[in-house]
Amino acid sequence: MPRQSDIADPGQSSHVQGFAPVAAADARILVLGSMPGVASLRQARYYAHPRNAFWPIAAQVLGFDAAADYPARLQALQQAGVALWDVLQACERPGSLDADIRADTLVPNDFAAFLQAHPRLIRICFNGGKAAALFRRHVLPGLPGLALQYVDLPSTSPAHAAASFEKKLAVWREALTPPGCARGD
């Protein structure tokens, strides 16, 4: 995780730096966003915006308390075999909207090293269309021959209001449940 001093003032600067991955060595599913938004950068936490549906959805699907403190939520994800990261390591983007990411400033994360360190990974889930597009355009061509499942999911961002919480929950439930595993509510 970045130190607070490493985040100049994400509300003022358009240069943004992502977080380190949160992943146990035996992770089976990787959830990828594009780049943390302003609220997340300010708090140095994944999905920190209070209206982002990621934590309520993950809590329902994986069976933990969405109101638990941040370290406990991260631990619950890791125990369930779910890792978190973003496609981009850095970029320029004023504000939080993916549409405002400047294409000429993209720096993807090192997925070759991540995948080598996490050989049990079977599925990559994209939290929103921009994450999927960035990965497929800027990362996947450099990773030939991967036998992974790729799942495009509706964004949990409050900016993506086209799908209801219930619709998002149903799609995310299927994606976060590894084959051969059943999870309750």
Side-chain angles (χ1 to χ4, degrees):
M1 283 291 183
R3 297 181 311 265
Q4 203 61 33
S5 61
D6 291 340
I7 305 168
D9 183 353
Q12 300 298 317
S13 173
S14 64
H15 178 79
V16 288
Q17 186 78 31
F19 304 146
V22 173
D26 63 348
R28 307 219 350 134
I29 295 172
L30 173 61
V31 174
L32 290 176
S34 54
M35 173 60 74
V38 171
S40 293
L41 291 167
R42 283 192 176 133
Q43 295 181 43
R45 295 177 176 203
Y46 281 100
Y47 303 108
H49 192 286
R51 290 184 313 168
N52 192 298
F54 177 79
W55 290 113
I57 287 171
Q60 281 196 37
V61 172
L62 302 174
F64 64 87
D65 182 2
D69 67 10
Y70 185 67
R73 287 181 279 156
L74 293 179
Q75 183 177 15
L77 286 180
Q78 291 177 76
Q79 288 174 340
V82 176
L84 287 181
W85 207 15
D86 289 300
V87 176
L88 300 179
Q89 175 186 35
C91 68
E92 287 189 24
R93 180 197 64 208
S96 293
L97 295 178
D98 284 346
D100 293 335
I101 293 172
R102 285 194 37 211
D104 61 333
T105 67
L106 302 177
V107 179
N109 274 309
D110 184 355
F111 284 91
F114 181 88
L115 294 170
Q116 187 172 6
H118 300 87
R120 295 193 59 204
L121 203 68
I122 59 169
R123 181 179 297 155
I124 295 179
C125 297
F126 301 106
N127 189 348
K130 186 69 167 191
L134 288 169
F135 185 88
R136 288 185 173 105
R137 181 164 186 197
H138 299 284
V139 176
L140 197 55
L143 301 172
L146 286 183
L148 295 172
Q149 300 169 5
Y150 300 101
V151 181
D152 293 15
L153 295 169
S155 174
T156 59
S157 166
H160 178 67
S164 69
F165 178 84
E166 292 74 22
K167 167 96 171 137
K168 290 178 185 182
L169 176 62
V171 176
W172 275 83
R173 180 180 308 281
E174 186 174 331
L176 293 181
T177 305
C181 297
R183 298 197 196 280
D185 292 342

